[in-house]
Amino acid sequence: MSRSIIVASNRGPITFERGPDGAPAARRGSGGLVTALSGALQEAEGVWVAAAMTEGDREMAIASRGGRIQHDEGDIAFRLRYLDIPPEVYDGYYNGISNGLLWFAYHYLWDTVRSPTFGADVAPVWESYVDVNRRFAQALAEEGDREGGDTAFLIQDYHLALVPRLLRELVPDALICHFSHTSMAGPTYQRMMPAQVHDQILRGMLGADVLGFHSPMWAENFLLAARQLPGVRVDLARSRILVDGRLVAVRIHPISVDARAMREAAATQRVRTLRRGLNRWRNNNRLIVRVDRLELTKNIVRGFQAYELFLRRNPDWIERVRFLALLSPSRVELPEYREYTEACVAEAARINDELGRPGWSPIELRAKDDYEGALAAYGLYDVLFVNPVIDGMNLVAMEGPLLNRRRGVLVLSRNAGAFGRLGRYALGVNPFDLDEMSAAIGEALEMPVDERTRRARGLSRLVLANPPARWVGGQLEDLERALRRRPVS
Ligand code: G6P
């Protein structure tokens, strides 16, 4: 395919931090998106447009004077364009609307008796959100122009929901896919957003030719929400939408992880050393592991409580099992995230206080960004505990089974997008039900070895069967199909 690819996302594939010599040095992000897209970008010699998030990024953006930065690293290469956005505008767009409002709405995070209450504070942050989306659309139009027009635009996530429409206004025949990496709430819940935000977000996304989701659950919720907009016709059976005389296809493309890259990353000397250290630390205990961002959707507190319940009901497991929680700090600008972090730490401390024994604590909580530590822990778990309240996909549930060496069992929330793919080899749980989660921990720890083997093999087979290239490839095919369906002008 000769079409060039232009990707847009809030967080770029790499960030620049000032190195010891004072010069900005690149650090690759650990996100699944980079992995999934890097292959396609390389083939198509594509461009990636992202917001400058660190001081280092900003310096690079200024030094490149709005141009492209070439980044080569091992077998990946990018051309990057960073947008240098004034900090107060970025704050309204990222903390105010993206993470403070849309993230809450899409993940059912409000405690509706008390929140949300929208007041005069919404208008200015909404203005910032529109402003940043406009800057992205403008930059994409310019980059498309430089590429000579034969371009596919792949726009990522809720930060950039208005970009499809804004870009279409600038480049009416642009070929646009917007992909949501989050879950989508049902239409009633989405209507809790201020009406103009709700409508404009939906209409913004509808500027695309193709809208991608990780799971049929989220696609269906989007279709139902869009159906409420005047002048928009939704064909639920064919999963497509007619708006402004254009067809928008709503499609499912579950993202995956790059098995080869992960196995290489887990085979380094550093990870081996960490793995040996962890193995000594676990001693003769069985090991339950969780790996998460310190994120409201991840359900960390209830996870600890379910484990506590398990230990109280099965005291013979005391001093025979340990729960290692590797949690990386996230979105610390938002008070809800800071409070949640405190709640996680306090709950682990309480359980350790009440159930600990000399030389043995039931929970080990490590709150830091430690991807290599996670790779080491993946090798060693007997139970991988993934219990989000709700989750667009969840890559931990895929990474773990690829690297685990102990035929570990996956306990997985039925509300994670990943459950649709992996559920038949996992122990499914309702993330709100301590009783069910605690029983699943028991079942996982007691499971006979041949059953564990069957499930562990099934999981890694499913992950290997869906390489990341398929995720991008599917979207590009959808776009070609959309192009063929367009009326000839
Ligand atoms: C989710 C979103 C991503 C986002 C990531 C980390 O997975 O779908 O778009 O990048 O969380 O969040 P952050 O705010 O740190 O970029």
Side-chain angles (χ1 to χ4, degrees):
M1 213 178 304
S2 61
R3 200 177 292 290
S4 63
I5 296 176
I6 302 185
V7 176
S9 65
N10 170 60
R11 192 176 280 281
I14 49 173
T15 55
F16 288 88
E17 309 281 357
R18 215 183 266 287
D21 58 352
R27 194 165 66 92
R28 188 176 167 188
S30 58
L33 193 58
V34 192
T35 319
L37 282 165
S38 47
L41 273 182
Q42 217 154 333
E43 252 168 60
E45 301 203 338
V47 182
W48 196 313
V49 179
M53 286 183 80
T54 62
E55 270 314 305
D57 295 351
R58 223 161 268 132
E59 270 178 44
M60 292 299 285
I62 293 166
S64 66
R65 284 195 234 99
R68 297 163 170 184
I69 302 159
Q70 178 72 36
H71 177 74
D72 300 295
E73 177 198 328
D75 58 351
I76 58 163
F78 301 109
R79 287 179 296 161
L80 264 181
R81 172 160 170 192
Y82 274 131
L83 303 185
D84 180 23
I85 298 158
E88 65 288 357
V89 175
Y90 190 81
D91 180 59
Y93 144 86
Y94 179 70
N95 291 315
I97 296 293
S98 302
N99 294 333
L101 197 156
L102 295 175
W103 185 266
F104 277 65
Y106 290 161
H107 294 89
Y108 298 89
L109 289 181
W110 285 309
D111 170 10
T112 52
V113 175
R114 297 175 199 87
S115 71
T117 305
F118 297 114
D121 47 345
V122 176
V125 288
W126 175 249
E127 217 172 279
S128 298
Y129 184 84
V130 177
D131 179 348
V132 174
N133 273 252
R134 233 184 255 296
R135 289 169 193 251
F136 265 91
Q138 186 62 45
L140 290 173
E142 286 166 20
E143 293 301 328
D145 213 32
R146 275 200 222 174
E147 290 297 301
D150 213 5
T151 307
F153 293 97
L154 302 182
I155 297 161
Q156 310 303 315
D157 241 348
Y158 58 102
H159 314 88
L160 306 180
L162 305 181
V163 172
R165 169 165 291 264
L166 295 170
L167 177 57
R168 187 155 311 284
E169 281 167 17
L170 297 170
V171 188
D173 62 351
L175 207 49
I176 306 173
C177 178
H178 179 279
F179 202 97
S180 295
H181 294 270
T182 59
S183 49
M184 276 280 130
T188 315
Y189 201 86
Q190 287 201 42
R191 273 210 314 270
M192 287 169 63
M193 292 189 249
Q196 85 138 356
V197 173
H198 170 268
D199 290 9
Q200 289 195 42
I201 290 286
L202 289 172
R203 287 193 188 277
M205 289 171 74
L206 288 171
D209 297 286
V210 175
L211 292 171
F213 296 91
H214 286 313
S215 154
M217 301 189 278
W218 320 142
E220 189 177 300
N221 280 343
F222 181 85
L223 288 162
L224 294 174
R227 194 161 67 164
Q228 306 193 340
L229 294 175
V232 170
R233 287 225 326 261
V234 173
D235 183 342
L236 276 178
R238 299 169 86 175
S239 199
R240 61 191 202 188
I241 300 172
L242 185 66
V243 55
D244 303 333
R246 291 183 310 107
L247 272 181
V248 182
V250 176
R251 293 287 174 261
I252 321 295
H253 293 293
I255 202 166
S256 188
V257 292
D258 183 342
R260 197 176 57 103
M262 283 214 62
R263 286 178 174 157
E264 272 172 26
T268 59
Q269 199 49 49
R270 165 112 184 103
V271 175
R272 277 169 212 250
T273 309
L274 288 170
R275 201 161 41 226
R276 272 199 299 275
L278 263 184
N279 210 20
R280 272 195 302 277
W281 166 82
R282 66 124 40 115
N283 210 348
N284 285 325
N285 289 268
R286 304 290 285 280
L287 187 60
I288 304 174
V289 167
R290 77 173 305 143
V291 175
D292 282 304
R293 287 190 296 118
L294 265 163
E295 160 58 55
L296 309 177
T297 58
K298 301 297 182 186
N299 207 21
I300 297 160
V301 171
R302 284 195 199 89
F304 289 156
Q305 290 167 346
Y307 171 63
E308 174 190 14
L309 184 61
F310 164 75
L311 289 175
R312 290 193 188 279
R313 284 183 177 163
N314 302 277
D316 52 317
W317 275 100
I318 283 181
E319 296 186 282
R320 287 176 54 215
V321 62
R322 283 186 148 170
F323 193 143
L324 174 65
L326 299 180
L327 307 173
S328 51
S330 182
R331 303 180 188 167
V332 290
E333 306 281 315
L334 294 181
E336 290 91 341
Y337 281 69
R338 294 197 297 272
E339 281 158 24
Y340 190 64
T341 300
E342 280 168 24
C344 294
V345 171
E347 200 58 356
R350 179 189 65 75
I351 295 168
N352 284 342
D353 256 12
E354 291 179 20
L355 296 179
R357 300 283 189 276
W360 178 84
S361 299
I363 300 174
E364 165 91 357
L365 186 156
R366 299 186 184 170
K368 64 171 183 173
D369 202 356
D370 183 12
Y371 186 59
E372 287 171 318
L375 294 175
Y378 285 150
L380 298 174
Y381 68 78
D382 298 291
V383 181
L384 181 64
F385 198 71
V386 184
N387 69 322
V389 165
I390 189 162
D391 207 334
M393 187 49 146
N394 198 293
L395 295 180
V396 169
M398 299 178 189
E399 292 172 349
L402 274 181
L403 297 185
N404 184 253
R405 301 161 166 204
R406 292 176 62 91
R407 301 171 185 144
V409 180
L410 173 64
V411 174
L412 181 58
S413 164
R414 294 189 198 93
N415 292 350
F419 189 81
R421 283 194 55 74
L422 307 179
R424 64 193 153 118
Y425 293 114
L427 293 180
V429 289
N430 170 352
F432 302 98
D433 186 346
L434 299 188
D435 192 64
E436 193 189 10
M437 287 190 285
S438 107
I441 291 175
E443 190 183 342
L445 287 171
E446 308 276 4
M447 191 178 280
V449 68
D450 45 341
E451 178 62 6
R452 284 197 278 128
T453 309
R454 187 187 72 82
R455 287 174 185 259
R457 287 205 182 128
L459 288 171
S460 61
R461 201 171 50 238
L462 282 180
V463 178
L464 290 169
N466 184 31
R470 186 184 286 184
W471 178 72
V472 200
Q475 292 172 65
L476 295 175
E477 280 165 26
D478 284 342
L479 283 175
E480 297 303 329
R481 227 170 280 135
L483 190 60
R484 287 197 294 274
R485 269 201 319 258
R486 276 187 189 167
V488 187
S489 50

